[in-house]
Amino acid sequence: MKKLLVAVVAAVVALSCVAAMTACVDDAIEPPEGYSVDGRKLNEIYDIDEYERGEYLVPYEVITDSFMGKSMAEKYCVPTVKVTKSDDGFKLAIYIVDPSVMNNVRLVEGETEIHGSEVNEFGYDGYEFEVSRDALDGEIAVRLFVSMVMNRDTNFGIKLDLTQAKLVA
């Protein structure tokens, strides 16, 4: 009887974990209304290469062969990133829904991990990285630590949809 109870509890826990990991995040960041300092209307789609400066919210697709990596990214990463273009180049900010579950976000180039600076914007914790313009057009490799269930790093790629870049500042 004790073995049956343990098996039932284990099955319920496993199903709960799978259900939690496969739910999609609806926590898209809402851009502000108004106008930027250069007179462009906020919350409108712009070509990031057309202007010298700007901050844009950009949706992305999660690309990975790992079911676990994809489900964790879709559940715990905000489905938009912020791309900042300035005189200093480009920055990419990735936001986390629940940093107690997923944190320590890094970008990966070859065997090198790139650590970003921690940010808190739009009501989310995140990590901001300096990136090249070319990197924004390709698949960006991401590695982060997942404390729930896995308690280890997971990897996935993101592909930005720059055709949907909405100006936020």
Side-chain angles (χ1 to χ4, degrees):
M1 186 66 168
K2 189 175 183 179
K3 288 182 182 181
L4 177 63
L5 180 60
V6 169
V8 169
V9 170
V12 169
V13 169
L15 289 173
S16 297
C17 289
V18 169
M21 289 183 293
T22 57
C24 292
V25 174
D26 290 329
D27 292 309
I29 298 169
E30 288 296 321
E33 299 295 328
Y35 293 87
S36 68
V37 293
D38 62 0
R40 291 183 287 161
K41 188 171 168 97
L42 299 179
N43 201 13
E44 295 288 322
I45 295 173
Y46 290 93
D47 180 346
I48 67 169
D49 294 318
E50 190 173 335
Y51 297 91
E52 291 182 26
R53 292 179 190 83
E55 292 181 10
Y56 305 88
L57 291 178
V58 181
Y60 63 86
E61 174 187 2
V62 176
I63 302 170
T64 181
D65 293 334
S66 163
F67 169 77
M68 183 68 75
K70 184 173 180 70
S71 62
M72 293 303 284
E74 289 175 346
K75 172 112 176 108
Y76 292 105
C77 292
V78 176
T80 50
V81 296
K82 183 180 82 173
V83 173
T84 303
K85 181 180 181 183
S86 70
D87 293 336
D88 297 328
F90 289 90
K91 291 185 179 179
L92 171 73
I94 299 173
Y95 302 100
I96 305 299
V97 173
D98 186 352
S100 70
V101 173
M102 185 177 280
N103 53 58
N104 192 20
V105 178
R106 288 100 58 201
L107 299 185
V108 181
E109 288 181 0
E111 296 297 316
T112 305
E113 288 186 349
I114 301 165
H115 295 266
S117 55
E118 292 184 21
V119 295
N120 184 294
E121 301 174 297
F122 309 109
Y124 294 102
D125 290 326
Y127 297 81
E128 186 173 63
F129 306 89
E130 292 183 17
V131 295
S132 69
R133 173 62 184 91
D134 290 340
L136 298 174
D137 286 327
E139 182 179 327
I140 300 168
V142 179
R143 178 175 295 148
L144 43 77
F145 183 77
V146 180
S147 59
M148 183 184 91
V149 181
M150 298 173 60
N151 205 32
R152 65 178 175 88
D153 283 338
T154 190
N155 298 302
F156 57 90
I158 59 173
K159 175 70 176 140
L160 305 185
D161 185 357
L162 294 174
T163 66
Q164 298 300 308
K166 287 188 177 182
L167 183 69
V168 294

